[in-house]
Amino acid sequence: MSSVRIVHEPADKVRDIYTWSKSAKAEVKKILAKYPKDQSRSAVIPLLHLAQREFDGWLPTKLMNLVAETLDMPYIRVYEVATFYTMFNLAPVGKYHVQVCTNCACMIRGSDKILEAVEKLTGAKAGESSADEMFTVSEVECLGACVNAPMMQVNDHYYTDLDAESAKEVLTALKEGKTPKVGSQVKEAS
Amino acid sequence: MTLQHTPLSYEDRIFKNLDGSGDWSIKGYQERGGYDGLKKILTTDTVEIIDTLKQSALRGRGGAGFPTGLKWSFMPKPTKERPTYLVCNADEGEPGTCKDRDILRNDPHTLVEGMIVGCYTLGAKTGYIYIRGEYYDEANRLQAAIDEAYEAGLLGKDILGTGVCVDLHIHLGAGAYICGEETALLESLEGKKGQPRLKPPFPAGFGLYGMPTTINNVETLAQVPPILKKGVKWWTQFGNPNNHGTKIFSISGSVNKPINIEAPMSITLKELIEHYAGGVIGGWDNLQAVIPGGSSTPMLSAENCQDAVMDFDSLMQYKTGLGTAAIVVMNKDVDLLRVMKRISGFYKHESCGQCSPCREGMGWIYQLMNDIYHGKADISDIDKLEDLTHRIDGHTICAFATGAIWPVQGTIRHFRHLMEQKVQPKKTASKAKTKKSA
């Protein structure tokens, strides 16, 4: 188990020290206030999300340890949660994590073409990152936007009602540092 | 042939802003009549509220269709040592299902009001809303709505001067379909892997942190206040007995206008597809099959779709169910076996790994579906696949495995001929091989 983890953790991508910033500390406090005082373990998923968001978009062991120490939990309890849930990245990801849904509703409405367009534009196949580390591409399970299929999620946001062209436009905009419109990509009828 | 069409009036709709065309905020919700009469509900005897719900025959909208009033009646009165909790299941993940997302982002106050009423009725001072982690924007929208409700004195201490105290907290999941199973959800909320618990004890006796807990779907909770305000008679005018009310149907796949639409229960499938979803792409005659209630529910053949009535009990005659009312339409241009194989792949990916029949079985099922699809299987493998589904069913802690094998059984029931076409060449090839080696 531990050896597998180390293989996935390229040394040059792991920071020397992980500590919460001042704003993150305030966020931790806010999260802990949601749960009974003796149930701080409930905060482990929110804290792993926070950790991933604060530091590079993935969870090296050292960072999971920070979460464990913050919640006074055994390390293994944090590792088993982090490895169970697919949203926690156990290896480095690109600046933009492009997750293309290929489940039934999206497949029927052409997710093959979306994935193909995404792979072509980023130069990364599903499960890989682009050479410039800008994009990581994943094929994911149903993201629950089936009446707006096909769709993809990039980092926190949904881009729905896609076709190959609009999917490429979204990613090109992100690549150029722009902020594409979140949500439906259907052009408003003029 | 004229198709019967009975649209739901604006007045009768619970989710008046489901399509997002109006204002989602508290101002818009109140203009649409939201929070009206809430004070009266919060001063009504809770036994009376539960009785009303029982009479309404409201059944859970999350897939299982368990009577809500009955579920609520299982809850003991809270004590200082044993507080009660209400947990909203917004871990929407059943492929095809996307109704809760639109409630959360377009009409979030319907849920907030439902949670207030639910917490009051169950004596819960704290309610948690467990939202799937991917719904980040939707969770932010709901949080904004919750903040508005606190601001307006609808949450927190002494709501509207009634002495009722309710706090609501959002908890984001992290990408595990199984957390939609209520006890897995509780485990996840407690900071563990989302692996279902053995039942009994049921959550009403031993739920979150070991305390009495009720878990309800987003849509179910949002429907409670309107039932209490407008009455049982209003609610039961919709739908067949024991299946009453309105329901959001998510119609996706091969239709001209995929849509989330609130309609009366017991509406026909054909009316939903033809009137609300713009019809089947290529016309009704181009219909191949329909998944009626999310990926777990067995398919309806095109022939079934002609008369199928959409409610919990009616769909049983086709050996399927209403599930989450997520209708995935497949026309004849769809590679049906590929879609079903993809769905089996989903269940393989999402098995929590706790029970051997599921952990191992999901992999075998996917492998067989894959082999059949790619023509690598023998004809006997279809029977082997069916036999396997029966060996898995009922031998696991939760209903996940049942939900995973149903679509496979439905495929074999209606589309065995497609599978046989795929495996046929292999059969002769393998026979020839056997002869040679003999």
Side-chain angles (χ1 to χ4, degrees):
Chain A
M1 175 83 189
S2 59
S3 63
V4 172
R5 298 207 59 83
I6 291 162
V7 170
H8 283 293
E9 290 184 12
D12 60 329
K13 296 273 191 262
V14 179
R15 299 183 186 209
D16 292 337
I17 302 169
Y18 291 90
T19 49
W20 299 114
S21 65
K22 211 175 156 194
S23 65
K25 269 185 188 160
E27 189 61 29
V28 170
K29 215 176 149 190
K30 226 170 110 186
I31 291 168
L32 280 169
K34 292 181 178 183
Y35 312 101
K37 283 203 171 61
D38 56 347
Q39 301 291 347
S40 60
R41 182 178 173 178
S42 273
V44 65
I45 289 177
L47 255 57
L48 286 170
H49 276 305
L50 179 69
Q52 194 163 276
R53 201 172 287 278
E54 285 277 309
F55 302 99
D56 317 314
W58 70 291
L59 296 169
T61 308
K62 272 190 190 171
L63 185 50
M64 290 190 264
N65 293 352
L66 172 67
V67 170
E69 284 153 14
T70 307
L71 296 174
D72 199 17
M73 276 171 75
Y75 295 138
I76 184 66
R77 294 290 174 219
V78 177
Y79 303 160
E80 69 178 17
V81 168
T83 52
F84 185 84
Y85 297 90
T86 51
M87 283 179 75
F88 297 129
N89 301 315
L90 302 174
V93 291
K95 186 176 175 195
Y96 297 108
H97 189 188
V98 186
Q99 307 185 61
V100 181
C101 173
T102 58
N103 211 308
C104 53
C106 282
M107 178 185 271
I108 292 169
R109 292 189 78 85
S111 58
D112 285 353
K113 285 184 188 146
I114 308 302
L115 186 60
E116 193 191 315
V118 168
E119 288 180 338
K120 204 168 162 198
L121 188 127
T122 59
K125 293 268 172 218
E128 295 174 358
S129 295
S130 60
D132 60 0
E133 296 178 3
M134 178 74 81
F135 295 106
T136 296
V137 179
S138 301
E139 207 180 321
V140 293
E141 299 300 349
C142 183
L143 288 171
C146 315
V147 300
N148 303 95
M151 59 82 63
M152 64 182 178
Q153 179 171 18
V154 185
N155 295 355
D156 291 330
H157 306 300
Y158 278 22
Y159 300 89
T160 60
D161 301 301
L162 294 173
D163 55 24
E165 206 47 47
S166 56
K168 275 194 273 187
E169 280 169 20
V170 168
L171 297 188
T172 306
L174 288 170
K175 201 172 178 176
E176 290 168 355
K178 295 178 190 154
T179 313
K181 185 185 85 159
V182 172
S184 177
Q185 300 301 309
V186 172
K187 308 273 186 302
E188 297 292 332
S190 51
Chain B
M1 197 198 86
T2 50
L3 188 64
Q4 179 202 351
H5 183 45
T6 43
L8 196 62
S9 75
Y10 179 80
E11 282 310 309
D12 286 335
R13 275 159 55 192
I14 291 172
F15 305 98
K16 293 185 167 65
N17 194 40
L18 190 65
D19 64 359
S21 59
D23 176 8
W24 63 267
S25 77
I26 192 163
K27 189 167 161 277
Y29 183 61
Q30 284 178 321
E31 279 166 12
R32 295 188 292 271
Y35 295 119
D36 279 355
L38 177 62
K39 191 171 176 178
K40 195 177 157 214
I41 296 175
L42 298 184
T43 50
T44 306
D45 184 45
T46 56
V47 177
E48 202 180 302
I49 290 177
I50 291 174
D51 272 348
T52 307
L53 287 180
K54 279 183 178 169
Q55 286 163 29
S56 77
L58 170 64
R59 292 170 71 173
R61 271 37 177 156
F66 192 82
T68 307
L70 189 62
K71 191 188 250 187
W72 285 18
S73 73
F74 295 151
M75 288 284 281
K77 284 255 174 291
T79 62
K80 209 177 166 206
E81 293 74 32
R82 287 183 63 72
T84 53
Y85 290 103
L86 174 63
V87 177
C88 172
N89 185 344
D91 191 48
E92 183 168 62
E94 172 87 357
T97 315
C98 51
K99 65 191 177 67
D100 297 340
R101 173 171 182 252
D102 279 358
I103 298 174
L104 295 171
R105 68 193 180 123
N106 294 333
D107 230 343
H109 282 283
T110 59
L111 174 63
V112 175
E113 190 172 5
M115 288 291 287
I116 296 167
V117 172
C119 283
Y120 162 68
T121 310
L122 302 170
K125 291 201 169 9
T126 308
Y128 291 102
I129 302 153
Y130 186 105
I131 304 181
R132 68 175 297 176
E134 293 88 345
Y135 284 177
Y136 182 78
D137 289 331
E138 291 76 6
N140 283 342
R141 174 63 58 81
L142 180 68
Q143 187 60 55
I146 290 173
D147 293 346
E148 285 181 332
Y150 271 106
E151 189 85 4
L154 294 159
L155 281 173
K157 289 195 167 65
D158 192 19
I159 296 169
L160 301 171
T162 57
V164 177
C165 306
V166 174
D167 282 311
L168 294 185
H169 303 295
I170 292 175
H171 182 99
L172 276 178
Y177 168 77
I178 192 60
C179 293
E181 198 281 342
E182 59 177 12
T183 58
L185 186 152
L186 294 178
E187 289 287 297
S188 181
L189 189 45
E190 290 181 1
K192 301 170 195 161
K193 289 186 285 182
Q195 292 189 317
R197 298 175 181 170
L198 264 176
K199 293 194 262 191
F202 293 94
F206 189 93
L208 183 63
Y209 310 130
M211 303 302 167
T213 304
T214 288
I215 302 112
N216 287 118
N217 174 257
V218 176
E219 189 183 358
T220 315
L221 285 166
Q223 286 175 328
V224 170
I227 293 173
L228 299 175
K229 290 174 192 175
K230 295 181 176 181
V232 171
K233 218 174 149 190
W234 166 76
W235 180 254
T236 53
Q237 70 178 299
F238 308 111
N240 292 334
N242 201 32
N243 294 273
H244 292 300
T246 69
K247 176 82 192 79
I248 299 174
F249 296 90
S250 315
I251 313 166
S252 66
S254 317
V255 289
N256 288 308
K257 201 182 114 198
I259 192 171
N260 268 320
I261 184 79
E262 185 180 1
M265 276 288 239
S266 307
I267 189 173
T268 65
L269 177 62
K270 194 167 184 181
E271 183 181 346
L272 280 170
I273 294 174
E274 297 280 270
H275 271 289
Y276 292 107
V280 179
I281 294 175
W284 184 260
D285 293 339
N286 198 32
L287 184 63
Q288 183 174 203
V290 168
I291 298 171
S295 63
S296 294
T297 56
M299 278 181 283
L300 292 164
S301 65
E303 196 190 348
N304 295 156
C305 295
Q306 196 64 32
D307 313 299
V309 168
M310 297 296 289
D311 66 40
F312 294 107
D313 296 337
S314 302
L315 285 169
M316 280 167 67
Q317 65 170 296
Y318 301 108
K319 294 190 179 170
T320 184
L322 185 68
T324 55
I327 298 163
V328 184
V329 178
M330 290 181 266
N331 69 7
K332 286 177 183 162
D333 305 324
V334 171
D335 186 349
L336 183 136
L337 290 185
R338 183 170 176 236
V339 172
M340 299 320 286
K341 169 176 85 86
R342 180 68 184 81
I343 288 175
S344 289
F346 165 78
Y347 289 107
K348 178 191 172 198
H349 180 263
E350 297 295 340
S351 173
C352 83
Q354 187 171 211
C355 312
S356 312
C358 179
R359 183 185 59 242
E360 307 300 324
M362 292 306 128
W364 297 341
I365 284 188
Y366 176 66
Q367 173 130 32
L368 281 166
M369 290 290 281
N370 203 36
D371 286 352
I372 290 168
Y373 179 74
H374 290 291
K376 291 184 197 158
D378 196 277
I379 194 154
S380 67
D381 287 330
I382 303 174
D383 296 321
K384 199 188 280 172
L385 177 62
E386 184 159 27
D387 180 58
L388 179 60
T389 64
H390 294 298
R391 285 167 195 271
I392 294 168
D393 195 12
H395 296 112
T396 54
I397 285 177
C398 79
F400 174 96
T402 307
I405 55 129
W406 271 357
V408 176
Q409 289 173 347
T411 311
I412 298 172
R413 191 182 309 137
H414 296 298
F415 294 97
R416 194 187 167 100
H417 58 281
L418 290 183
M419 298 172 125
E420 286 179 355
Q421 280 166 20
K422 290 267 188 192
V423 298
Q424 209 64 40
K426 174 75 183 174
K427 190 194 164 199
T428 37
S430 66
K431 253 189 186 167
K433 212 176 180 183
T434 328
K435 264 185 197 162
K436 229 183 219 174
S437 60

